[in-house]
Amino acid sequence: MVQGVSLSTLATCGKSRLCGSSPFWMAPFEPFKRSQITSVSGRHLVWNQCVHSLFLIGYPYVSRHSDIKAQAAWIFRGGEQGLDASSEQSESANEDILMFFFQLDLATRVQYALNMEQYDIAQQLRNKLTEVEEEVIKQQQSKRGLSSKSEAQDKALSIIRLRSDLQNAIENEDYALAAELRDEISKLEAESLAASAKALAHENAQYAFRLGQKVRHKKFDYKAVICGMDPVCCESSSWMENAQVKNLSRGSTQPFYQVLVDVHAEPNLLVAYVPEENLLAPDKPDMGRFDHPYISFLFYGMDSAGDFIPIKQLREKYNKPRHEIPIDPPNDEDRGKA
């Protein structure tokens, strides 16, 4: 299973597989610096390093070079001529998934080093994993509004301290300082209220679809599988402009989903970022074939309803419980036979 085997050792040469280079347990490496992870350019550096040994095989549209991001032929073809499926392609969503793979691989490498009693290497790997996890947590908190909640709490504490200072200024008849403190308190109260409102909106987000669920795109009619979700659109302004998000009936404040697209329907579209209003759930269980190179790394397999079962780490990433398929109650005929 995914969480028990390194990505590099999961490589197979069949279609619909994400494959790695030769094993690199003992390969020398330099631990990431915090500045590399927190800066924009640094995140691209980390991303390039984490996928350096990963490549897609078995599909004619993906080059076997190490730079997946450049070779995936992700070119927006919509523009002024109208939208097509490529308008919802998302490089950032793909990077997010590959970084998730990288975390799984690092965790496995730590365990392997411990099993081999290579404690120095295990510690280095653990340090690297910690840095990556910290940055991923920050990004997840930002998406879920938890950072806004923390920001509101910090501002509330600052307001309490400033009110104490204000009281002291008044008692000392320092009215100029009191006026400045009063203005600062008013500003912080407004910012705290806005941050609290944002956090509340994220916490109360309701999703129509779940991880692993098979869906169909309303406009482009391709099949896809949900592998991630955000309470609102978290893409860049340029992406939203290209995807014409402003023309959506629910705009950018509705849930958006990371979806794996069936390569038989859209061979050049691996990962899309789709607004909730553009997705449909099938009317009946879809047990048909679904091919994508990421499927075997994010899901255990299909359930009896045709949806995919997300691995434990993916459910933890989005804080979602495992979906249990309800058992149909026996009908009257079955009761009579019993």
Side-chain angles (χ1 to χ4, degrees):
M1 294 183 182
V2 177
Q3 63 270 37
V5 185
S6 166
L7 293 180
S8 56
T9 59
L10 276 171
T12 60
C13 294
K15 291 187 178 182
S16 300
R17 298 287 180 184
L18 178 70
C19 297
S21 59
S22 58
F24 52 96
W25 300 105
M26 302 301 295
F29 66 89
E30 293 293 334
F32 296 137
K33 297 179 180 179
R34 189 171 301 276
S35 60
Q36 289 179 317
I37 298 177
T38 55
S39 65
V40 175
S41 59
R43 287 199 294 269
H44 284 290
L45 172 63
V46 172
W47 187 88
N48 285 328
Q49 289 187 29
C50 82
V51 300
H52 179 72
S53 61
L54 300 174
F55 60 89
L56 300 172
I57 68 172
Y59 295 97
Y61 53 88
V62 180
S63 169
R64 298 190 182 188
H65 294 283
S66 61
D67 191 357
I68 299 175
K69 181 169 58 177
Q71 298 297 331
W74 286 1
I75 300 175
F76 294 119
R77 301 187 301 270
E80 298 178 354
Q81 298 179 355
L83 294 177
D84 63 8
S86 65
S87 63
E88 293 177 342
Q89 294 176 103
S90 176
E91 180 181 298
S92 62
N94 188 65
E95 289 185 4
D96 180 66
I97 295 171
L98 291 178
M99 186 62 75
F100 179 68
F101 291 161
F102 185 43
Q103 285 181 270
L104 295 180
D105 186 66
L106 277 176
T108 304
R109 292 175 68 182
V110 169
Q111 188 59 52
Y112 179 88
L114 291 173
N115 293 342
M116 300 298 293
E117 298 184 356
Q118 299 169 343
Y119 301 115
D120 291 340
I121 293 178
Q123 186 59 49
Q124 288 181 307
L125 288 166
R126 187 179 287 112
N127 292 339
K128 180 193 290 188
L129 177 59
T130 299
E131 292 184 5
V132 173
E133 286 178 339
E134 287 177 354
E135 175 61 20
V136 171
I137 289 173
K138 289 180 182 178
Q139 295 176 0
Q140 291 176 356
Q141 289 179 337
S142 177
K143 288 183 177 181
R144 297 176 185 175
L146 297 181
S147 59
S148 298
K149 184 176 181 180
S150 177
E151 180 185 356
Q153 293 171 345
D154 292 341
K155 290 183 183 299
L157 293 175
S158 297
I159 290 172
I160 294 174
R161 289 192 295 268
L162 287 173
R163 283 176 176 167
S164 177
D165 294 339
L166 174 61
Q167 185 62 35
N168 291 333
I170 293 174
E171 290 176 357
N172 295 328
E173 297 183 356
D174 189 347
Y175 300 116
L177 176 59
E180 292 179 3
L181 290 172
R182 190 177 293 109
D183 292 340
E184 189 170 354
I185 289 173
S186 297
K187 179 181 178 182
L188 283 176
E189 286 177 338
E191 292 175 352
S192 177
L193 182 61
S196 299
K198 180 180 178 182
L200 184 62
H202 282 67
E203 289 178 359
N204 295 334
Q206 299 294 321
Y207 297 98
F209 306 100
R210 62 181 183 275
L211 292 174
Q213 187 173 6
K214 282 184 179 178
V215 292
R216 183 173 294 277
H217 200 288
K218 287 183 180 179
K219 296 181 179 179
F220 309 131
D221 202 39
Y222 61 69
K223 291 194 300 182
V225 172
I226 304 292
C227 67
M229 54 190 65
D230 295 322
V232 296
C233 183
C234 296
E235 271 286 0
S236 64
S237 56
S238 60
W239 184 94
M240 287 192 280
E241 181 180 357
N242 183 83
Q244 299 183 19
V245 172
K246 64 180 180 181
N247 294 334
L248 296 171
S249 61
R250 296 169 60 187
S252 62
T253 58
Q254 64 181 299
F256 275 67
Y257 297 84
Q258 296 178 5
V259 302
L260 306 181
V261 181
D262 190 344
V263 295
H264 290 290
E266 289 287 343
N268 291 322
L269 180 59
L270 290 179
V271 181
Y273 195 58
V274 187
E276 189 171 82
E277 68 180 67
N278 281 350
L279 294 175
L280 284 171
D283 296 331
K284 56 183 179 179
D286 180 6
M287 305 301 297
R289 175 177 175 179
F290 186 95
D291 282 334
H292 194 283
Y294 296 172
I295 280 290
S296 60
F297 291 94
L298 295 174
F299 303 99
Y300 293 122
M302 281 196 298
D303 58 25
S304 59
D307 296 321
F308 285 90
I309 305 171
I311 62 173
K312 178 182 177 182
Q313 293 91 332
L314 185 61
R315 298 198 307 270
E316 291 175 347
K317 177 181 179 181
Y318 291 97
N319 194 28
K320 297 297 181 183
R322 177 165 177 167
H323 174 68
E324 300 293 341
I325 300 176
I327 301 176
D328 294 333
N331 54 35
D332 294 338
E333 292 183 0
D334 294 334
R335 291 194 184 95
K337 292 178 181 179

mmCIF file of all heavy atoms in Angstrom, residues 277-304:
data_model
loop_
_atom_site.group_PDB
_atom_site.id
_atom_site.type_symbol
_atom_site.label_atom_id
_atom_site.label_comp_id
_atom_site.label_asym_id
_atom_site.label_seq_id
_atom_site.Cartn_x
_atom_site.Cartn_y
_atom_site.Cartn_z
ATOM 1 N N GLU A 277 -20.119 23.900 -8.854
ATOM 2 C CA GLU A 277 -21.280 23.985 -9.741
ATOM 3 C C GLU A 277 -21.041 23.317 -11.090
ATOM 4 O O GLU A 277 -21.991 23.094 -11.842
ATOM 5 C CB GLU A 277 -21.681 25.439 -9.955
ATOM 6 C CG GLU A 277 -20.705 26.276 -10.755
ATOM 7 C CD GLU A 277 -21.180 27.710 -10.932
ATOM 8 O OE1 GLU A 277 -21.255 28.456 -9.929
ATOM 9 O OE2 GLU A 277 -21.495 28.077 -12.067
ATOM 10 N N ASN A 278 -19.797 22.997 -11.419
ATOM 11 C CA ASN A 278 -19.494 22.358 -12.703
ATOM 12 C C ASN A 278 -19.391 20.840 -12.599
ATOM 13 O O ASN A 278 -19.041 20.188 -13.584
ATOM 14 C CB ASN A 278 -18.189 22.904 -13.275
ATOM 15 C CG ASN A 278 -18.361 24.261 -13.934
ATOM 16 O OD1 ASN A 278 -19.489 24.710 -14.132
ATOM 17 N ND2 ASN A 278 -17.264 24.912 -14.269
ATOM 18 N N LEU A 279 -19.691 20.265 -11.436
ATOM 19 C CA LEU A 279 -19.548 18.828 -11.245
ATOM 20 C C LEU A 279 -20.895 18.168 -10.987
ATOM 21 O O LEU A 279 -21.789 18.753 -10.372
ATOM 22 C CB LEU A 279 -18.604 18.536 -10.077
ATOM 23 C CG LEU A 279 -17.143 18.953 -10.273
ATOM 24 C CD1 LEU A 279 -16.348 18.708 -8.992
ATOM 25 C CD2 LEU A 279 -16.505 18.218 -11.442
ATOM 26 N N LEU A 280 -21.015 16.936 -11.440
ATOM 27 C CA LEU A 280 -22.214 16.128 -11.231
ATOM 28 C C LEU A 280 -21.821 14.761 -10.697
ATOM 29 O O LEU A 280 -20.811 14.176 -11.136
ATOM 30 C CB LEU A 280 -22.983 15.940 -12.540
ATOM 31 C CG LEU A 280 -23.818 17.111 -13.077
ATOM 32 C CD1 LEU A 280 -24.310 16.767 -14.479
ATOM 33 C CD2 LEU A 280 -24.986 17.405 -12.158
ATOM 34 N N ALA A 281 -22.583 14.235 -9.786
ATOM 35 C CA ALA A 281 -22.382 12.863 -9.323
ATOM 36 C C ALA A 281 -23.189 11.932 -10.224
ATOM 37 O O ALA A 281 -24.291 12.288 -10.669
ATOM 38 C CB ALA A 281 -22.833 12.721 -7.874
ATOM 39 N N PRO A 282 -22.691 10.732 -10.521
ATOM 40 C CA PRO A 282 -23.448 9.809 -11.383
ATOM 41 C C PRO A 282 -24.744 9.374 -10.722
ATOM 42 O O PRO A 282 -24.843 9.284 -9.492
ATOM 43 C CB PRO A 282 -22.480 8.634 -11.564
ATOM 44 C CG PRO A 282 -21.536 8.725 -10.409
ATOM 45 C CD PRO A 282 -21.396 10.179 -10.099
ATOM 46 N N ASP A 283 -25.750 9.124 -11.530
ATOM 47 C CA ASP A 283 -27.056 8.718 -11.010
ATOM 48 C C ASP A 283 -27.022 7.311 -10.411
ATOM 49 O O ASP A 283 -27.791 6.998 -9.499
ATOM 50 C CB ASP A 283 -28.110 8.771 -12.119
ATOM 51 C CG ASP A 283 -28.323 10.190 -12.626
ATOM 52 O OD1 ASP A 283 -28.137 11.129 -11.833
ATOM 53 O OD2 ASP A 283 -28.661 10.354 -13.821
ATOM 54 N N LYS A 284 -26.153 6.468 -10.925
ATOM 55 C CA LYS A 284 -26.039 5.106 -10.421
ATOM 56 C C LYS A 284 -24.563 4.744 -10.305
ATOM 57 O O LYS A 284 -23.703 5.415 -10.890
ATOM 58 C CB LYS A 284 -26.754 4.135 -11.363
ATOM 59 C CG LYS A 284 -26.275 4.186 -12.801
ATOM 60 C CD LYS A 284 -27.100 3.243 -13.676
ATOM 61 C CE LYS A 284 -26.623 3.305 -15.133
ATOM 62 N NZ LYS A 284 -27.397 2.392 -15.994
ATOM 63 N N PRO A 285 -24.231 3.711 -9.550
ATOM 64 C CA PRO A 285 -22.822 3.340 -9.366
ATOM 65 C C PRO A 285 -22.099 3.134 -10.695
ATOM 66 O O PRO A 285 -22.618 2.495 -11.609
ATOM 67 C CB PRO A 285 -22.919 2.033 -8.576
ATOM 68 C CG PRO A 285 -24.205 2.137 -7.839
ATOM 69 C CD PRO A 285 -25.145 2.872 -8.759
ATOM 70 N N ASP A 286 -20.923 3.731 -10.793
ATOM 71 C CA ASP A 286 -20.112 3.623 -11.993
ATOM 72 C C ASP A 286 -18.945 2.681 -11.704
ATOM 73 O O ASP A 286 -17.962 3.068 -11.068
ATOM 74 C CB ASP A 286 -19.591 5.006 -12.397
ATOM 75 C CG ASP A 286 -18.732 4.971 -13.654
ATOM 76 O OD1 ASP A 286 -18.629 3.890 -14.278
ATOM 77 O OD2 ASP A 286 -18.155 6.014 -14.014
ATOM 78 N N MET A 287 -19.064 1.454 -12.155
ATOM 79 C CA MET A 287 -18.032 0.442 -11.931
ATOM 80 C C MET A 287 -17.078 0.345 -13.107
ATOM 81 O O MET A 287 -16.243 -0.553 -13.179
ATOM 82 C CB MET A 287 -18.676 -0.918 -11.668
ATOM 83 C CG MET A 287 -19.677 -0.926 -10.532
ATOM 84 S SD MET A 287 -18.966 -0.412 -8.945
ATOM 85 C CE MET A 287 -17.757 -1.714 -8.699
ATOM 86 N N GLY A 288 -17.194 1.298 -14.043
ATOM 87 C CA GLY A 288 -16.366 1.251 -15.238
ATOM 88 C C GLY A 288 -14.905 1.569 -14.967
ATOM 89 O O GLY A 288 -14.525 2.032 -13.886
ATOM 90 N N ARG A 289 -14.111 1.372 -15.966
ATOM 91 C CA ARG A 289 -12.673 1.573 -15.864
ATOM 92 C C ARG A 289 -12.350 3.063 -15.720
ATOM 93 O O ARG A 289 -12.980 3.914 -16.350
ATOM 94 C CB ARG A 289 -11.998 1.017 -17.118
ATOM 95 C CG ARG A 289 -10.500 1.268 -17.214
ATOM 96 C CD ARG A 289 -9.946 0.618 -18.460
ATOM 97 N NE ARG A 289 -8.530 0.927 -18.649
ATOM 98 C CZ ARG A 289 -7.790 0.460 -19.655
ATOM 99 N NH1 ARG A 289 -8.362 -0.324 -20.567
ATOM 100 N NH2 ARG A 289 -6.508 0.764 -19.754
ATOM 101 N N PHE A 290 -11.367 3.354 -14.875
ATOM 102 C CA PHE A 290 -10.894 4.734 -14.709
ATOM 103 C C PHE A 290 -9.381 4.675 -14.599
ATOM 104 O O PHE A 290 -8.828 4.005 -13.726
ATOM 105 C CB PHE A 290 -11.499 5.378 -13.463
ATOM 106 C CG PHE A 290 -11.154 6.838 -13.320
ATOM 107 C CD1 PHE A 290 -12.018 7.816 -13.778
ATOM 108 C CD2 PHE A 290 -9.954 7.234 -12.746
ATOM 109 C CE1 PHE A 290 -11.700 9.164 -13.663
ATOM 110 C CE2 PHE A 290 -9.626 8.572 -12.613
ATOM 111 C CZ PHE A 290 -10.498 9.538 -13.083
ATOM 112 N N ASP A 291 -8.702 5.371 -15.501
ATOM 113 C CA ASP A 291 -7.243 5.326 -15.538
ATOM 114 C C ASP A 291 -6.644 6.688 -15.228
ATOM 115 O O ASP A 291 -7.041 7.708 -15.816
ATOM 116 C CB ASP A 291 -6.755 4.866 -16.916
ATOM 117 C CG ASP A 291 -6.887 3.355 -17.089
ATOM 118 O OD1 ASP A 291 -6.866 2.651 -16.063
ATOM 119 O OD2 ASP A 291 -7.004 2.894 -18.239
ATOM 120 N N HIS A 292 -5.692 6.677 -14.340
ATOM 121 C CA HIS A 292 -4.914 7.881 -14.026
ATOM 122 C C HIS A 292 -3.635 7.445 -13.315
ATOM 123 O O HIS A 292 -3.675 6.543 -12.468
ATOM 124 C CB HIS A 292 -5.718 8.843 -13.142
ATOM 125 C CG HIS A 292 -5.117 10.209 -13.058
ATOM 126 N ND1 HIS A 292 -4.024 10.484 -12.263
ATOM 127 C CD2 HIS A 292 -5.444 11.371 -13.665
ATOM 128 C CE1 HIS A 292 -3.702 11.759 -12.389
ATOM 129 N NE2 HIS A 292 -4.548 12.315 -13.241
ATOM 130 N N PRO A 293 -2.499 8.059 -13.621
ATOM 131 C CA PRO A 293 -1.232 7.618 -13.008
ATOM 132 C C PRO A 293 -1.139 7.843 -11.511
ATOM 133 O O PRO A 293 -0.285 7.253 -10.863
ATOM 134 C CB PRO A 293 -0.182 8.443 -13.761
ATOM 135 C CG PRO A 293 -0.913 9.593 -14.346
ATOM 136 C CD PRO A 293 -2.284 9.092 -14.654
ATOM 137 N N TYR A 294 -1.998 8.690 -10.919
ATOM 138 C CA TYR A 294 -1.925 8.948 -9.479
ATOM 139 C C TYR A 294 -2.856 8.062 -8.663
ATOM 140 O O TYR A 294 -2.752 8.038 -7.436
ATOM 141 C CB TYR A 294 -2.291 10.407 -9.177
ATOM 142 C CG TYR A 294 -1.377 11.458 -9.740
ATOM 143 C CD1 TYR A 294 -1.715 12.815 -9.661
ATOM 144 C CD2 TYR A 294 -0.179 11.128 -10.365
ATOM 145 C CE1 TYR A 294 -0.884 13.792 -10.172
ATOM 146 C CE2 TYR A 294 0.656 12.096 -10.883
ATOM 147 C CZ TYR A 294 0.299 13.437 -10.795
ATOM 148 O OH TYR A 294 1.111 14.409 -11.303
ATOM 149 N N ILE A 295 -3.780 7.395 -9.306
ATOM 150 C CA ILE A 295 -4.840 6.682 -8.602
ATOM 151 C C ILE A 295 -4.299 5.702 -7.558
ATOM 152 O O ILE A 295 -4.734 5.684 -6.403
ATOM 153 C CB ILE A 295 -5.758 5.938 -9.599
ATOM 154 C CG1 ILE A 295 -6.766 6.912 -10.212
ATOM 155 C CG2 ILE A 295 -6.509 4.800 -8.931
ATOM 156 C CD1 ILE A 295 -7.835 7.399 -9.248
ATOM 157 N N SER A 296 -3.333 4.876 -7.939
ATOM 158 C CA SER A 296 -2.872 3.818 -7.035
ATOM 159 C C SER A 296 -2.090 4.358 -5.855
ATOM 160 O O SER A 296 -1.806 3.621 -4.905
ATOM 161 C CB SER A 296 -2.014 2.805 -7.806
ATOM 162 O OG SER A 296 -0.884 3.446 -8.372
ATOM 163 N N PHE A 297 -1.717 5.638 -5.879
ATOM 164 C CA PHE A 297 -0.973 6.225 -4.776
ATOM 165 C C PHE A 297 -1.880 6.976 -3.807
ATOM 166 O O PHE A 297 -1.509 7.197 -2.660
ATOM 167 C CB PHE A 297 0.095 7.188 -5.313
ATOM 168 C CG PHE A 297 1.190 6.480 -6.038
ATOM 169 C CD1 PHE A 297 1.129 6.326 -7.411
ATOM 170 C CD2 PHE A 297 2.269 5.950 -5.365
ATOM 171 C CE1 PHE A 297 2.128 5.665 -8.097
ATOM 172 C CE2 PHE A 297 3.271 5.277 -6.039
ATOM 173 C CZ PHE A 297 3.211 5.132 -7.411
ATOM 174 N N LEU A 298 -3.055 7.363 -4.241
ATOM 175 C CA LEU A 298 -3.966 8.134 -3.406
ATOM 176 C C LEU A 298 -5.135 7.312 -2.875
ATOM 177 O O LEU A 298 -5.775 7.720 -1.911
ATOM 178 C CB LEU A 298 -4.526 9.327 -4.194
ATOM 179 C CG LEU A 298 -3.518 10.398 -4.610
ATOM 180 C CD1 LEU A 298 -4.193 11.443 -5.497
ATOM 181 C CD2 LEU A 298 -2.905 11.069 -3.397
ATOM 182 N N PHE A 299 -5.385 6.161 -3.498
ATOM 183 C CA PHE A 299 -6.565 5.380 -3.129
ATOM 184 C C PHE A 299 -6.210 3.906 -3.033
ATOM 185 O O PHE A 299 -5.322 3.410 -3.723
ATOM 186 C CB PHE A 299 -7.669 5.585 -4.167
ATOM 187 C CG PHE A 299 -8.057 7.027 -4.361
ATOM 188 C CD1 PHE A 299 -7.552 7.754 -5.426
ATOM 189 C CD2 PHE A 299 -8.902 7.665 -3.470
ATOM 190 C CE1 PHE A 299 -7.881 9.094 -5.617
ATOM 191 C CE2 PHE A 299 -9.244 8.996 -3.648
ATOM 192 C CZ PHE A 299 -8.732 9.719 -4.712
ATOM 193 N N TYR A 300 -6.939 3.204 -2.146
ATOM 194 C CA TYR A 300 -6.737 1.769 -1.992
ATOM 195 C C TYR A 300 -7.334 0.996 -3.157
ATOM 196 O O TYR A 300 -6.831 -0.050 -3.546
ATOM 197 C CB TYR A 300 -7.394 1.288 -0.692
ATOM 198 C CG TYR A 300 -6.739 1.802 0.560
ATOM 199 C CD1 TYR A 300 -7.460 2.542 1.486
ATOM 200 C CD2 TYR A 300 -5.404 1.528 0.837
ATOM 201 C CE1 TYR A 300 -6.868 2.999 2.656
ATOM 202 C CE2 TYR A 300 -4.801 1.991 1.995
ATOM 203 C CZ TYR A 300 -5.540 2.727 2.904
ATOM 204 O OH TYR A 300 -4.949 3.189 4.053
ATOM 205 N N GLY A 301 -8.429 1.480 -3.708
ATOM 206 C CA GLY A 301 -9.139 0.782 -4.772
ATOM 207 C C GLY A 301 -10.583 1.249 -4.777
ATOM 208 O O GLY A 301 -10.949 2.191 -4.078
ATOM 209 N N MET A 302 -11.427 0.602 -5.560
ATOM 210 C CA MET A 302 -12.836 0.994 -5.649
ATOM 211 C C MET A 302 -13.670 0.255 -4.617
ATOM 212 O O MET A 302 -13.381 -0.897 -4.276
ATOM 213 C CB MET A 302 -13.380 0.721 -7.052
ATOM 214 C CG MET A 302 -13.009 1.765 -8.089
ATOM 215 S SD MET A 302 -14.031 1.670 -9.595
ATOM 216 C CE MET A 302 -13.619 0.030 -10.180
ATOM 217 N N ASP A 303 -14.729 0.935 -4.170
ATOM 218 C CA ASP A 303 -15.683 0.278 -3.290
ATOM 219 C C ASP A 303 -16.825 -0.297 -4.118
ATOM 220 O O ASP A 303 -16.810 -0.242 -5.348
ATOM 221 C CB ASP A 303 -16.194 1.246 -2.215
ATOM 222 C CG ASP A 303 -16.866 2.491 -2.804
ATOM 223 O OD1 ASP A 303 -17.361 2.410 -3.942
ATOM 224 O OD2 ASP A 303 -16.905 3.529 -2.113
ATOM 225 N N SER A 304 -17.842 -0.806 -3.435
ATOM 226 C CA SER A 304 -18.941 -1.470 -4.151
ATOM 227 C C SER A 304 -19.829 -0.490 -4.911
ATOM 228 O O SER A 304 -20.636 -0.903 -5.740
ATOM 229 C CB SER A 304 -19.798 -2.259 -3.155
ATOM 230 O OG SER A 304 -20.333 -1.406 -2.161
#
